[in-house]
Amino acid sequence: MKTLLLVCSVPLLLYAFIKLWLKWRRTYWQRKGLPVIELPVDEQNVNSAVQIMKKYRIAKERGLKHIGTYGHFSKPTYLPIDLEIMRHIAVKDFAYFQNHGVYVNERDDPISASLFHLEDERWRSMRVKLTATFTSGKMKMMFPIVVKCANQLKDVLDEHARIGDPIDIKEILARFTTDVIGECAFGIECNCIKDPNTEFRKYGKKQFDFSTWPRVMRGMMMAALPHNILRFLRFKFIEADVETFFKDLVKDMVEYRETSQKRRNDFLQLLIELKNTGKVSEDEGTQGGEIHKAGDMEHITMDQITAQCLIFFNAGFETSSSTMTFALYELAMNEEYQDKLRDEINTVLKKHGGQLTYEAVLEMEYLEMVLNETLRKHPPLANSMRVCAKDYKVPGTDFILEAGTNVVFTIQPIHMDPEYYPDPEKFNPENFSEENKAKRPPFTFMPFGEGPRMCIGLRFGKMQSKIGLITILSQYKVALNKKTLYPLVYCRRSPILSVSGGVWLDLTKIN
Ligand code: HEM
């Protein structure tokens, strides 16, 4: 009997202990003397980015430079409000904030060791190598692959427009960007745009599917337990079947290229160069050469290639498809801007003999303004995360931020701050005219982050988003179908900003 009682009381005691510990943890900022802004309960049931934005606004109104907040399992998280503090975090004191603080285990979970996850010296060395694969010369080289995928997108849109079906544009664009990155990073023709149920898409989606219990438990363990304990337990984030699929895919493609001596102008080819020589070839046609030698650094391994291909896919396909979706949503709501952009696109294309070329895209200035305004209002990553590496005295204050504290790199709250953008809710491409850009202080537009850890795929993301928008707007008028929720609500759980219920468009073919 006594044993039974003891066995039953252990879980209860454990539960009570965890409850007390979480409660105590939630007093962290009070003990440290930093204000916390609590939102009313009915405002907590929305996307976390919206909650952070509300806290930022309240803090700003109260004239606070920074506040404390709590993340998963009440983890204390620091929220800077002052631009000067942001600048220090991103650039000046980068040495304190260089890591994203996400779990990485190169030994047991090698393909989790992507550029986004890697830390300290491992990150720095990989970043130097990969930077060479994202130069403007390399983008120009991959441009035709993206245009080829855009032509397939056009075929699918033509079919919808012919039948007069409303179209869930995010779904179609996610299939387009999956095809693009499948081709550029893995070297395969996935054909998702025509067949959404390919193996590639299935395993790609599976990584983010948290609908099963084992996956939920995995996510909770990663959020709750310190990373050194997880590493001690040899915890793997990527499931065995997902790992096998992507490892085999990359191995087959690399072997095929090496044995057949077939070269292609894509990321995979550049990663193979890094594996075999430790450097990538210089850009063609760059006088004096953009030199991107990785010096005498070690060559990269097959597992490292797989990890980088996977992060290019994960970081690249949804961010860009969301960007295009938001742009089309805003343009459908603002016909005048839509017509102005279409005029520019068609005039420039005509000048280039009707051909969509790299040079033609560079000439489309209004497209750049529309894209930037979209990324201002709806940055796909509303906030990025950093972790403080060692105790840090916050500039302009006496506050010491403790090592190990998470830091929110506030992107959307700054983009929506009326001090920097008057009438921030209004979609206004003129915010990005040369004149208006010059009026704003630095660090007020950073959809790709800022400083040495900013998005490495910026050029590629913009290129594929522009090609997608040109393909659609040059040939169709877009209008919101009544299936689209208005006003727009962000999906609650999605880490990348996306529209609840999807954006449904009616397309009308122009010529
Ligand atoms: C519109 C499209 C995109 C947006 C808005 C975007 C945004 C971002 C942001 C905000 C970060 C975090 C920066 C920080 O912590 O300061 C990031 C990191 C990253 N992005 Fe992107 N991204 C886009 C497209 C892409 C594409 C197409 C790729 C790859 C082909 C890519 C690869 C990465 C990688 C590898 C990182 C981690 C960089 C590092 O830790 O050194 N992104 N991105």
Side-chain angles (χ1 to χ4, degrees):
M1 186 66 182
K2 260 188 178 173
T3 329
L4 187 70
L5 263 174
L6 202 70
V7 169
C8 292
S9 55
V10 168
L12 281 174
L13 279 173
L14 196 66
Y15 176 76
F17 172 77
I18 292 175
K19 279 285 250 193
L20 277 174
W21 176 72
L22 287 176
K23 202 168 169 194
W24 176 79
R25 213 183 190 195
R26 252 188 132 73
T27 60
Y28 178 83
W29 291 117
Q30 194 187 335
R31 286 181 275 123
K32 293 284 292 175
L34 206 66
V36 170
I37 289 167
E38 299 286 358
L39 295 176
V41 181
D42 60 327
E43 291 188 17
Q44 291 173 17
N45 201 19
V46 290
N47 187 296
S48 63
V50 177
Q51 295 184 42
I52 289 177
M53 192 140 67
K54 284 193 174 145
K55 290 182 182 178
Y56 173 98
R57 277 192 188 151
I58 298 170
K60 183 102 192 219
E61 274 160 27
R62 293 187 192 162
L64 299 170
K65 283 188 163 195
H66 49 188
I67 57 171
T69 177
Y70 296 99
H72 293 303
F73 293 93
S74 302
K75 176 124 178 74
T77 305
Y78 175 77
L79 204 102
I81 309 292
D82 183 67
L83 265 194
E84 193 50 23
I85 299 181
M86 282 290 289
R87 188 174 71 85
H88 276 77
I89 290 174
V91 182
K92 209 154 174 286
D93 298 323
F94 177 70
Y96 290 79
F97 301 100
Q98 55 177 332
N99 298 327
H100 281 128
V102 277
Y103 175 66
V104 57
N105 179 352
E106 231 178 325
R107 183 193 56 188
D108 303 304
D109 201 4
I111 66 166
S112 74
S114 77
L115 186 66
F116 189 88
H117 295 76
L118 285 172
E119 303 198 318
D120 306 316
E121 218 19 74
R122 302 291 295 161
W123 165 74
R124 198 178 289 277
S125 143
M126 186 59 78
R127 176 93 192 193
V128 174
K129 289 176 183 137
L130 294 181
T131 298
T133 66
F134 284 92
T135 60
S136 43
K138 301 290 185 276
M139 295 303 106
K140 192 171 174 179
M141 186 179 94
M142 289 181 226
F143 187 87
I145 301 181
V146 188
V147 172
K148 190 188 101 189
C149 295
N151 287 334
Q152 286 161 359
L153 167 70
K154 190 184 136 309
D155 293 345
V156 172
L157 297 179
D158 273 347
E159 187 60 14
H160 275 271
R162 196 178 56 75
I163 304 170
D165 256 3
I167 185 167
D168 178 354
I169 197 69
K170 171 75 190 295
E171 165 66 18
I172 297 281
L173 289 171
R175 277 153 52 187
F176 161 60
T177 49
T178 300
D179 278 357
V180 170
I181 309 222
E183 285 230 9
C184 288
F186 292 90
I188 53 161
E189 288 194 16
C190 340
N191 271 323
C192 291
I193 195 85
K194 297 223 161 98
D195 173 11
N197 303 316
T198 58
E199 288 265 280
F200 186 73
R201 192 143 194 263
K202 183 179 123 192
Y203 284 106
K205 272 185 154 182
K206 193 166 176 197
Q207 301 171 80
F208 301 104
D209 178 9
F210 284 93
S211 60
T212 60
W213 267 109
R215 297 228 96 216
V216 172
M217 290 304 291
R218 234 176 253 259
M220 279 170 60
M221 278 178 76
M222 270 173 55
L225 295 177
H227 294 174
N228 40 9
I229 294 190
L230 290 171
R231 275 191 278 271
F232 174 75
L233 296 172
R234 311 200 105 175
F235 178 82
K236 278 171 86 109
F237 168 58
I238 298 184
E239 279 167 324
D241 58 340
V242 176
E243 177 178 327
T244 309
F245 175 79
F246 284 110
K247 269 181 143 178
D248 287 352
L249 180 63
V250 171
K251 185 170 156 279
D252 289 350
M253 291 316 295
V254 172
E255 275 174 11
Y256 171 72
R257 296 251 177 123
E258 289 184 338
T259 47
S260 68
Q261 299 283 319
K262 282 208 168 108
R263 279 185 59 89
R264 266 176 56 135
N265 290 331
D266 58 15
F267 284 126
L268 185 65
Q269 196 66 44
L270 300 169
L271 291 169
I272 294 173
E273 283 182 28
L274 282 174
K275 173 174 88 67
N276 294 339
T277 66
K279 60 183 198 259
V280 299
S281 50
E282 293 175 28
D283 292 339
E284 273 171 34
T286 38
Q287 283 150 10
E290 283 180 54
I291 298 172
H292 298 294
K293 291 197 179 85
D296 53 1
M297 288 180 296
E298 80 237 51
H299 301 189
I300 66 172
T301 63
M302 281 297 285
D303 279 343
Q304 285 174 321
I305 294 189
T306 313
Q308 308 325 315
C309 290
L310 202 54
I311 195 68
F312 292 171
F313 172 54
N314 291 340
F317 94 94
E318 203 176 350
T319 42
S320 297
S321 57
S322 276
T323 303
M324 287 181 271
T325 304
F326 283 120
L328 291 168
Y329 174 90
E330 295 289 355
L331 293 170
M333 300 278 291
N334 295 280
E335 221 176 304
E336 184 195 331
Y337 301 146
Q338 187 185 149
D339 292 342
K340 182 168 174 185
L341 178 55
R342 182 175 303 103
D343 281 352
E344 178 187 80
I345 291 173
N346 287 335
T347 309
V348 174
L349 286 181
K350 202 167 164 197
K351 191 176 144 203
H352 287 262
Q355 295 299 310
L356 178 49
T357 60
Y358 187 79
E359 289 69 25
V361 177
L362 288 183
E363 277 178 38
M364 298 180 187
E365 287 171 9
Y366 194 63
L367 177 61
E368 173 79 10
M369 287 162 69
V370 167
L371 193 69
N372 283 345
E373 178 62 353
T374 306
L375 288 166
R376 174 192 73 80
K377 218 182 145 188
H378 312 283
L381 256 85
N383 302 291
S384 183
M385 198 63 87
R386 299 293 174 79
V387 66
C388 178
K390 36 195 171 169
D391 285 2
Y392 175 69
K393 183 178 168 305
V394 177
T397 74
D398 292 328
F399 187 76
I400 306 289
L401 193 61
E402 275 185 327
T405 313
N406 281 349
V407 176
V408 182
F409 195 80
T410 41
I411 297 175
Q412 198 184 29
I414 291 177
H415 290 183
M416 297 299 278
D417 185 333
E419 184 186 340
Y420 313 125
Y421 296 90
D423 203 358
E425 298 292 337
K426 185 177 184 305
F427 181 83
N428 178 15
E430 286 308 313
N431 277 327
F432 289 90
S433 67
E434 289 306 320
E435 193 192 343
N436 285 334
K437 275 197 297 188
K439 282 187 203 153
R440 280 190 298 272
F443 295 89
T444 48
F445 179 60
M446 37 189 189
F448 296 94
E450 260 299 349
R453 194 115 206 188
M454 80 185 291
C455 176
I456 199 169
L458 178 152
R459 287 195 180 107
F460 194 81
K462 285 178 90 167
M463 178 172 84
Q464 65 174 342
S465 302
K466 284 183 177 178
I467 293 178
L469 289 174
I470 293 169
T471 304
I472 297 173
L473 293 166
S474 59
Q475 313 188 41
Y476 309 96
K477 250 183 188 301
V478 298
L480 277 195
N481 181 273
K482 56 180 183 302
K483 277 166 90 174
T484 310
L485 293 181
Y486 181 82
L488 172 156
V489 179
Y490 293 130
C491 285
R492 192 172 155 223
R493 295 201 185 277
S494 166
I496 304 277
L497 281 191
S498 60
V499 181
S500 189
V503 171
W504 292 83
L505 294 180
D506 291 320
L507 303 183
T508 312
K509 184 109 181 158
I510 294 169
N511 39 38

